[in-house]
C-alpha cells in the first residue's frame, strides 16, 4: 500500500481539465492508497465555505466518497485557500491538520507543511500572511457579504501579481531567491522539530533534496503543482517516488 501526497492544484474554473484530472485521480489511484494528504492550495482562491462553486462541490463529493471508501484524507491549508473551514472539510470528509504537522509515516516521523513558512526572504509576503492569519481578521472578513469578499480577493490578487512582476523586472535571480525557501530556515526547521524528513509544496519546484542539518542527513521533498499536469509523491515502506500524472 502507498500513501499519496499532493499540493498546489490551484483548481479554478478557467482550467477545467485539471479539475477533471484530479477527480479521475480520486476515483482511480487514490482508492487504493493508505491515505491521501493535500498540502495546501487545493483551490486557486477561497473566500469562505459559503461561496457557490460547482467545481468545489464536485471535489467535495469525490473526496467524501474516497473517505467513505476507507482512505483517510488530510488537508493543510495553503496561502490561496487558508480560509477553507470546518464546514467544507466535513462535506469533503477530510481532516484539517495544523501547519506544520508531524505524522508517523511507516514508522518514521515526518514533517508536513504547505511551505510558505519557509520563504522567509519574502518579507512582504510574510507580513501579509501574518495579517491575514490573525483570527480577528478572519472573523471580520468572513462576516462581510460575498460581494465584498470577492472584491477584496481580486484586489489582493492584483497586488500580489504586481509585486511579483516588479520583482521579476528588477532582478530575475533575486526573484527566484526570494520566492524559494530560505536555506537557513529549512535547516532551523529541521533542528527545531527534530525530524530528518520534510514534505511541502508552495514553491512549484518539485525535487527531492538531501542536506545536512544539526549533523544529520535530512531529506526535503518539494511537491509539484498541477497547472499543466498532475504531480504526486508516492511513499511506501520501501521508499518514495515523485512523479507527474
Amino acid at each position: 500500500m502507498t500513501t499519496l501526497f499532493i499540493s498546489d492544484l490551484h483548481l479554478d474554473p478557467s482550467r477545467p481539465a485539471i479539475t477533471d484530472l484530479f477527480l479521475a485521480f480520486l476515483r482511480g489511484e487514490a482508492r487504493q492508497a493508505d491515505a491521501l494528504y493535500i498540502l495546501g492550495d487545493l483551490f486557486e482562491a477561497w473566500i469562505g465555505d459559503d461561496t457557490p462553486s460547482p467545481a468545489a462541490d464536485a471535489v467535495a463529493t469525490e473526496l467524501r466518497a474516497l473517505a467513505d471508501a476507507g482512505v483517510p484524507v488530510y488537508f493543510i491549508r495553503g496561502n490561496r485557500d487558508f480560509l477553507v473551514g470546518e464546514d467544507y472539510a466535513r462535506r469533503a470528509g477530510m481532516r484539517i491538520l495544523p501547519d506544520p504537522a508531524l505524522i508517523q509515516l511507516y514508522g518514521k516521523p515526518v514533517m508536513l507543511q504547505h511551505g510558505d513558512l519557509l520563504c522567509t526572504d519574502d518579507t512582504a509576503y510574510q507580513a501579509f500572511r501574518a495579517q491575514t492569519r490573525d483570527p480577528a481578521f478572519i472573523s471580520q472578513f468572513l462576516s462581510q457579504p460575498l460581494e465584498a469578499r470577492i472584491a477584496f480577493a481580486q484586489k489582493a490578487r492584483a497586488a500580489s501579481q504586481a509585486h511579483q512582476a516588479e520583482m521579476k523586472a528588477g532582478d530575475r535571480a533575486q526573484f527566484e531567491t526570494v520566492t524559494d525557501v530560505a536555506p537557513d530556515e529549512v535547516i532551523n526547521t529541521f533542528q527545531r522539530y527534530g525530524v530528518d524528513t520534510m514534505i511541502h509544496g508552495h514553491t512549484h519546484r518539485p525535487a527531492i533534496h538531501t542536506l545536512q542539518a544539526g549533523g544529520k542527513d535530512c531529506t526535503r521533498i518539494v511537491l509539484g503543482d498541477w497547472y499543466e499536469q498532475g504531480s504526486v509523491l508516492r511513499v511506501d515502506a520501501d521508499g518514495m517516488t515523485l512523479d507527474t500524472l
Side-chain angles (χ1 to χ4, degrees):
M1 296 288 282
T2 303
T3 299
L4 305 175
F5 297 85
I6 59 176
S7 73
D8 298 282
L9 288 84
H10 294 269
L11 300 180
D12 187 80
S14 66
R15 295 162 47 248
I18 295 299
T19 300
D20 290 343
L21 177 64
F22 179 51
L23 295 176
F25 170 78
L26 295 178
R27 299 183 192 113
E29 179 181 358
R31 288 295 181 102
Q32 309 304 316
D34 283 331
L36 172 65
Y37 288 84
I38 305 170
L39 304 190
D41 285 0
L42 174 58
F43 298 102
E44 177 69 12
W46 194 266
I47 56 174
D49 289 0
D50 59 340
T51 306
S53 171
D57 292 344
V59 168
T61 296
E62 291 300 333
L63 285 172
R64 166 59 72 177
L66 181 65
D68 288 347
V71 180
V73 180
Y74 301 96
F75 176 72
I76 289 179
R77 298 177 176 98
N79 56 295
R80 297 296 187 96
D81 53 14
F82 66 91
L83 289 173
V84 168
E86 293 295 341
D87 286 347
Y88 186 79
R90 279 191 291 270
R91 287 174 52 202
M94 63 186 187
R95 177 185 170 191
I96 297 178
L97 299 179
D99 185 7
L102 296 177
I103 67 167
Q104 288 290 321
L105 187 60
Y106 303 109
K108 181 183 180 66
V110 173
M111 167 184 283
L112 309 177
Q113 59 177 304
H114 176 56
D116 54 339
L117 286 169
L118 299 171
C119 301
T120 52
D121 288 339
D122 191 348
T123 55
Y125 168 72
Q126 294 298 335
F128 176 77
R129 188 188 194 282
Q131 174 195 357
T132 55
R133 298 311 192 276
D134 183 86
F137 173 90
I138 292 174
S139 177
Q140 190 275 335
F141 179 79
L142 293 177
S143 70
Q144 296 182 56
L146 181 60
E147 293 77 9
R149 283 180 272 153
I150 292 173
F152 178 89
Q154 290 174 337
K155 183 178 179 180
R157 187 172 180 180
S160 174
Q161 290 172 339
H163 174 60
Q164 292 199 11
E166 182 180 355
M167 287 195 296
K168 289 178 182 178
D171 186 334
R172 181 72 193 205
Q174 178 67 10
F175 169 78
E176 294 295 336
T177 298
V178 167
T179 57
D180 201 355
V181 300
D184 287 347
E185 184 61 23
V186 170
I187 292 173
N188 291 339
T189 300
F190 274 120
Q191 294 177 321
R192 188 182 311 130
Y193 290 93
V195 298
D196 60 19
T197 304
M198 179 193 308
I199 303 172
H200 71 83
H202 179 65
T203 64
H204 303 185
R205 295 170 170 91
I208 298 177
H209 301 274
T210 57
L211 66 148
Q212 284 274 318
K216 295 195 302 183
D217 293 327
C218 296
T219 303
R220 179 173 67 93
I221 303 99
V222 188
L223 306 178
D225 64 72
W226 285 53
Y227 276 117
E228 297 180 357
Q229 71 288 306
S231 178
V232 59
L233 174 70
R234 302 178 177 96
V235 181
D236 60 25
D238 297 321
M240 64 180 68
T241 60
L242 181 61
D243 300 307
T244 56
L245 299 178

